[in-house]
Amino acid sequence: MAPQLLDRRAFLQVSALAGGGVMIGTYLGPVSEALAQTPAAFSPNAFITIAANGTITLIAKNPEVGQGVKTMLPMILAEELEADWKTVKIVQGDLDPEAYGPQSAGGSQSTPVNWDPLRQAGAVGRHMLIAAAAATWDVPAGELQARLGRVHHAASNRSAGYGELAARAATLTPPDPKTVALKDPKDYTIIGKATPGIDNRAIVTGTLTFSSDFTVPGMLWAQYEKAPAYGAEVATANLDEVRAMPGVRHAFILKGDGDIQSLVGGVAIVADSWWQAKAARDRLQVTWQDHPTMRQSSASFDQQAEALFKAPPAFSITNVGDVEGALSSATKTVEGTYSYPFIAHAPLEPQNALAHWHDGKMEIWAPSQTPARGRQMVAKSLGIDEAAITFHLLHGGGGFGRRLYNDSVVEAAAIARQIDRPVKLQWTREDDMRHDIYRPGGYHRLRAGVDAAGRIVAWHGHFVSYGEGERFAPSANLPATEFPAGYVAHFGLGASLIPLGVPTGALRAPRSNSVAFVYQSFLDELAHAAGKDPVQFRLDLLSATRQLPEGINNDGFDGARMHAVVKTAAEMAGWGRAVPKGTGLGIACYYSHRGYFAEVAEVIVDADKGVRVAKVWVAGDVGRQIINPSGAEQQMQGSVIDGLGELMAQEITYENGAAVQDNFNRFPLVRMREAPPVIESKFVLSDNAPSGLGEPALPPILPAVTNAIFAATGERIRSLPLRKHGYYWA
Amino acid sequence: MAYTLTVNGRTTTVEVPADMPLLWVLRDVLELRGTKYGCGISACGACTVHLNGRAVRACQTKVSAADGASIMTIEGLSPDGTHPLQQAWQDVDVPQCGYCQAGQIMSAAALLAQTPKPTDEDIDRAMNGNLCRCATYLRIRQAIHKAAAMTATTTVQQAAANRPGQDQE
Ligand code: FES
Ligand code: FES
């Protein structure tokens, strides 16, 4: 561990001297040479380096894909270090979990996982700098104060910059991070302040190096043509003709590694420029071996779901009380079948990765959300030792879960393995959309009953999803704790699975982004059946104490916190006020990724089914502290508008095993004029540890809008996308 | 084929196929990578540049159609990143992932050149071809208004400064 830390320190100095940015330091030469030439610096841990000239370099440890962690995590460090935010340098850390701890971007985990460790890391640095000053001036540490990168001694009117103290601090033993005193939140000067993204200037001047912009000397460009149906291998390809195209250096066939979420078979074309590779690919003629996935289609999925609904669920997920008995004695019962399609992530920067195989080592540059997993996948797929793989993190043009999967990283490495130069694989938009790791579709048949007092007495769900036997396909499952589990005395959920040969996975707010629509719409149906106001109905339900059956672990859901955000959102929206004909207010609430969100949408529907979301009110509880209010608002607005895109028109369908939609003309995102002009948001601060915001504001917006459409028109939307029911953005 | 392009004020000749899109000439040949690839079919606006002052999608502009033309990319919008839009974008903290923003700014710049004081409707119309997957739209609109206000102030100041008979300090 110790020598590694030394390397890390040296490396940080190299990066700091090079002015940060993309870390090509290790690529250009061994770190130790640079170390010999640099003056001593103070580095209390892997995250912080203070040079003798006072330059403070902070490591942004997690991958940045637009969720703002490259700004937000260093804010936490700088706050406790008492650094001057205006002058700190922030450098993206490469993959090095031994030094930095877990490095991933997903599940809104960056805040909860790093809140304590990074505060401690910053505080350790501050304590050591104060101790260094105390020793230098021979005064008690208690008389000293750290502020904006300097330590002050008020009594003697002395002060010293961190740079001056660095050499001495470096000789001290760091205190135990677990016991070091942290700042009182009321003294925060960085945390809680709206802080613009640290890369903004580079972004608006076109100088930020996104992954697809990153190059190394001597590199080539690759395209990779895969079977439209997932997992089929190449039968024949006109490689000679392709090789004769201008600029083409290589054209070869790769076999898949047997996992459709990793490497599938295809034809690689490597050329001097991307456009030449693309032009050659346009000439490529390839036939594919027969594969069972060629026979799957959206129509066949629908048929299988219908057949499965005719029988009871194949297996039970939870079963509490006497569901059928309670249903038959309920005052009113409601039944509905809901469904939602597969959708793609479609980050604006299509997947890409650069790989270089040299001297028995694989070097990779990519914007992975899970670089550690990417390294494992490459090692496994290509049979290389993990230790021989270096992973440099680059800035990604959007993630949304897509860059959790590293399939393009494995492809780039597999292509690089065959040639002797660095090679950048850059997918087309069509590759990206037809070879996504899709949000799985699903079907729910729900039955529930209310008693004479309007309370839900029984609830039963039959979930038809995808998978094998009782094993769900990735991100196609549903936990036994899914709300309103624990709030309904007789509660059952069972599932039946359709076999699937489509890669699936997590899309921003996985599961929640689809289940919220189903459950929160059905709750609305029940409120109306019970003759109750939809807000009051939810508040009443949440007032009870949650009771989960033995053996089922609580998912952390706290009804009181949800109750508070529902109330707040309703108040913000003026819930209950009269609205013009054709306008409706809808509410929905959802708990995911430790965040509680309630949203109200005001929706106007015209006679042609043209829809406008006039305004959205968002109330959220993500704990006691919003670290960066500007980033928080961005995530909230982004989530709401993203959800509206999923709601209105996004759908991937399959024919002969292949995705039909291949670009934004057939897979529409929300455009500016379609977005709600106003999204008003409020955080309900609760005494809980801060949690993440990349996801939890998304799920409620879909049912908030469909519930509003019901309020406006009386039409209950039970399947997505909305466009299928004749709606469009007015 | 050889084509002559004036990009950000510098005239160069490129030797490329006639049907090569301007986007890839900029990115691969001239190594100006501020202009992004998002869809390749004029559906996202990430590749927006100015061709003789008009906002065009570089992914669907063949290099042959740009021969002799004057092209401006995000790198040439201002010498030092101080175009009012670049300023406003930072003040409002618009970018999330940032990938679409060069295209957004180039569309907005073309709008402001034509319509210095745009209404919300003007903005919606001019920006309709620019997708933002991170959905930064509300802040984009806010930043365009802000830049328009900044431009107006600058113009008034300049006009005042240029007024004959008035002393400057
Ligand atoms: S890349 Fe040109 S419009 Fe999308
Ligand atoms: S900021 Fe990410 S696509 Fe616009």
Side-chain angles (χ1 to χ4, degrees):
Chain A
M1 191 68 202
Q4 185 172 0
L5 209 57
L6 188 68
D7 270 6
R8 166 65 41 193
R9 229 176 258 177
F11 179 56
L12 291 181
Q13 287 169 357
V14 173
S15 317
L17 293 174
V22 184
M23 293 192 149
I24 47 180
T26 49
Y27 186 65
L28 295 178
V31 159
S32 50
E33 276 172 37
L35 175 65
Q37 300 157 13
T38 51
F42 168 49
S43 188
N45 46 52
F47 301 104
I48 299 168
T49 304
I50 299 171
N53 69 2
T55 303
I56 300 180
T57 305
L58 303 179
I59 289 289
K61 66 183 276 278
N62 281 4
E64 174 65 59
V65 286
Q67 80 284 40
V69 282
K70 194 174 169 190
T71 304
M72 189 269 279
L73 295 179
M75 282 171 71
I76 303 175
L77 284 168
E79 178 70 66
E80 286 289 349
L81 183 62
E82 293 287 3
D84 182 357
W85 181 256
K86 284 201 287 296
T87 61
V88 295
K89 279 194 173 157
I90 295 171
V91 173
Q92 176 70 59
D94 274 350
L95 175 62
D96 190 351
E98 265 191 66
Y100 305 136
Q103 289 171 275
S104 66
S108 294
Q109 288 297 305
S110 285
T111 303
V113 167
N114 294 295
W115 173 242
D116 284 338
L118 291 189
R119 281 191 304 154
Q120 289 160 356
V124 163
R126 166 168 46 91
H127 280 266
M128 291 173 77
L129 289 156
I130 287 178
T136 309
W137 298 328
D138 196 18
V139 296
E143 289 180 12
L144 300 177
Q145 246 209 331
R147 212 167 47 236
L148 294 175
R150 297 186 77 79
V151 179
H152 299 264
H153 185 234
S156 64
N157 202 19
R158 275 181 293 192
S159 81
Y162 281 4
E164 300 163 56
L165 297 166
R168 183 137 201 179
T171 65
L172 304 175
T173 315
D176 179 2
K178 295 250 165 345
T179 57
V180 80
L182 299 176
K183 286 182 71 173
D184 185 330
K186 75 171 170 26
D187 298 327
Y188 284 165
T189 57
I190 298 171
I191 292 176
K193 283 237 156 51
T195 306
I198 59 141
D199 286 326
N200 280 358
R201 196 187 147 75
I203 289 170
V204 303
T205 51
T207 53
L208 182 72
T209 302
F210 285 85
S211 178
S212 51
D213 306 328
F214 179 80
T215 57
V216 295
M219 65 176 261
L220 300 171
W221 293 82
Q223 296 252 335
Y224 191 55
E225 172 90 6
K226 290 171 280 198
Y230 306 97
E233 297 287 347
V234 176
T236 63
N238 58 337
L239 295 181
D240 288 335
E241 194 181 328
V242 168
R243 283 187 195 117
M245 292 288 290
V248 173
R249 302 282 182 132
H250 308 273
F252 50 86
I253 293 168
L254 288 179
K255 270 184 77 71
D257 61 14
D259 179 355
I260 58 167
Q261 315 246 131
S262 177
L263 180 68
V264 295
V267 179
I269 301 169
V270 182
D272 289 335
S273 75
W274 188 83
W275 181 251
Q276 287 171 322
K278 169 81 165 62
R281 186 177 172 185
D282 290 343
R283 293 290 189 86
L284 175 67
Q285 283 170 353
V286 51
T287 60
W288 305 96
Q289 293 175 20
D290 185 63
H291 196 271
T293 58
M294 288 173 177
R295 284 170 286 283
Q296 64 188 357
S297 69
S298 295
S300 78
F301 294 152
D302 286 348
Q303 282 159 13
Q304 291 174 76
E306 209 166 302
L308 289 167
F309 277 138
K310 294 213 168 84
F315 60 99
S316 165
I317 296 173
T318 183
N319 196 9
V320 181
D322 171 16
V323 178
E324 296 305 327
L327 273 172
S328 57
S329 60
T331 311
K332 246 187 188 166
T333 56
V334 181
E335 197 175 319
T337 303
Y338 282 80
S339 67
Y340 44 83
F342 286 74
I343 53 182
H345 295 80
L348 203 59
E349 179 183 23
Q351 305 306 298
N352 63 83
L354 173 58
H356 187 192
W357 173 251
H358 58 98
D359 311 314
K361 292 195 164 63
M362 186 68 78
E363 191 151 15
I364 293 166
W365 294 260
S368 176
Q369 288 177 253
T370 54
R373 189 152 165 265
R375 186 159 67 179
Q376 274 167 15
M377 285 172 67
V378 170
K380 186 167 169 227
S381 182
L382 302 186
I384 319 175
D385 190 358
E386 258 195 69
I389 303 169
T390 311
F391 206 123
H392 306 276
L393 282 172
L394 297 177
H395 190 104
F400 313 103
R402 180 62 185 92
R403 299 186 213 276
L404 292 166
Y405 293 102
N406 299 294
D407 44 333
S408 53
V409 174
V410 177
E411 275 173 21
I415 294 168
R417 185 76 174 75
Q418 303 296 319
I419 63 179
D420 56 4
R421 280 172 58 178
V423 60
K424 168 90 138 229
L425 171 71
Q426 170 68 63
W427 287 15
T428 62
R429 169 58 54 198
E430 289 79 7
D431 292 330
D432 201 85
M433 205 166 276
R434 302 189 79 187
H435 291 278
D436 195 35
I437 308 283
Y438 301 93
R439 190 285 298 274
Y443 311 81
H444 296 254
R445 178 153 295 172
L446 297 171
R447 295 176 295 139
V450 292
D451 65 12
R455 283 182 305 248
I456 311 175
V457 289
W459 173 295
H460 186 270
H462 182 180
F463 177 33
V464 170
S465 186
Y466 297 93
E468 210 86 51
E470 297 195 6
R471 224 185 61 225
F472 288 94
S475 297
N477 63 324
L478 196 56
T481 47
E482 186 66 39
F483 179 82
Y487 289 94
V488 178
H490 306 278
F491 190 89
L493 173 64
S496 311
L497 304 184
I498 301 170
L500 184 70
V502 170
T504 61
L507 168 71
R508 191 181 207 171
R511 286 187 306 274
S512 314
N513 58 34
S514 48
V515 180
F517 157 69
V518 176
Y519 278 34
Q520 287 289 318
S521 300
F522 194 61
L523 271 180
D524 226 58
E525 292 200 50
L526 292 174
H528 290 286
K532 281 200 181 175
D533 171 77
V535 167
Q536 196 54 49
F537 187 72
R538 286 173 173 80
L539 291 176
D540 290 348
L541 187 63
L542 290 161
S543 299
T545 311
R546 193 178 204 201
Q547 272 161 350
L548 289 171
E550 229 168 284
I552 303 250
N553 283 332
N554 196 329
D555 54 359
F557 183 86
D558 176 347
R561 292 177 74 180
M562 188 60 93
H563 192 277
V565 294
V566 169
K567 242 180 120 184
T568 305
E571 277 163 18
M572 287 164 71
W575 185 265
R577 67 187 150 91
V579 292
K581 196 169 158 344
T583 297
L585 290 178
I587 186 154
C589 59
Y590 202 76
Y591 166 71
S592 65
H593 304 280
R594 307 185 203 199
Y596 297 77
F597 277 83
E599 296 171 12
V600 175
E602 180 166 342
V603 174
I604 304 163
V605 187
D606 67 25
D608 294 335
K609 292 196 159 186
V611 180
R612 289 208 61 76
V613 180
K615 188 164 177 180
V616 175
W617 294 265
V618 180
D621 173 359
V622 287
R624 69 176 73 90
Q625 178 72 57
I626 302 300
I627 297 168
N628 183 359
S630 181
E633 187 189 73
Q634 285 176 325
Q635 288 306 311
M636 223 153 37
Q637 291 183 350
S639 297
V640 165
I641 297 171
D642 193 357
L644 293 175
E646 294 177 4
L647 170 74
M648 177 54 84
Q650 292 176 5
E651 176 176 34
I652 296 288
T653 55
Y654 303 94
E655 275 172 25
N656 303 318
V660 172
Q661 295 75 14
D662 61 359
N663 211 319
F664 291 120
N665 53 343
R666 294 205 266 181
F667 188 85
L669 306 183
V670 169
R671 288 175 190 272
M672 185 183 280
R673 63 163 202 86
E674 300 161 346
V678 189
I679 300 173
E680 197 180 304
S681 55
K682 196 184 239 173
F683 285 107
V684 176
L685 299 180
S686 66
D687 195 16
N688 292 284
S691 55
L693 269 167
E695 301 169 277
L698 188 148
I701 190 62
L702 292 93
V705 172
T706 52
N707 290 342
I709 289 175
F710 178 79
T713 67
E715 181 174 1
R716 175 59 64 186
I717 305 298
R718 292 200 183 109
S719 67
L720 298 181
L722 210 44
R723 185 160 77 164
K724 271 191 168 163
H725 304 278
Y727 291 93
Y728 64 97
W729 295 125
Chain B
M1 284 288 291
Y3 299 95
T4 304
L5 309 172
T6 302
V7 181
N8 300 330
R10 281 187 42 205
T11 303
T12 45
T13 303
V14 292
E15 194 76 39
V16 294
D19 62 348
M20 185 166 177
L22 178 59
L23 171 62
W24 297 105
V25 174
L26 292 171
R27 287 184 60 86
D28 281 0
V29 182
L30 302 178
E31 299 195 354
L32 287 169
R33 298 200 170 89
T35 306
K36 303 298 188 227
Y37 164 70
C39 69
I41 61 161
S42 278
C44 79
C47 64
T48 306
V49 298
H50 294 184
L51 186 85
N52 295 331
R54 274 185 39 241
V56 299
R57 312 293 178 220
C59 70
Q60 286 289 306
T61 305
K62 290 187 176 31
V63 63
S64 51
D67 191 24
S70 162
I71 293 147
M72 186 162 74
T73 70
I74 186 72
E75 290 94 341
L77 185 60
S78 67
D80 51 359
T82 53
H83 186 282
L85 285 164
Q86 292 170 317
Q87 207 76 55
W89 240 248
Q90 295 177 72
D91 292 348
V92 174
D93 189 17
V94 172
Q96 288 186 33
C97 82
Y99 196 76
C100 71
Q101 299 296 347
Q104 305 277 3
I105 290 173
M106 295 312 285
S107 287
L111 166 70
L112 290 190
Q114 284 286 314
T115 315
K117 268 282 185 199
T119 62
D120 277 354
E121 290 77 63
D122 294 333
I123 294 174
D124 284 355
R125 204 172 314 118
M127 302 303 289
N128 198 47
N130 288 82
L131 294 177
C132 176
R133 175 65 182 88
C134 303
T136 59
Y137 297 125
L138 302 192
R139 287 190 177 186
I140 289 176
R141 194 186 284 134
Q142 195 187 335
I144 294 174
H145 282 307
K146 183 158 190 179
M150 282 160 61
T151 316
T153 324
T154 325
T155 319
V156 171
Q157 278 167 355
Q158 270 167 5
N162 295 338
R163 211 169 298 148
Q166 274 209 333
D167 264 341
Q168 289 178 39
E169 294 193 49

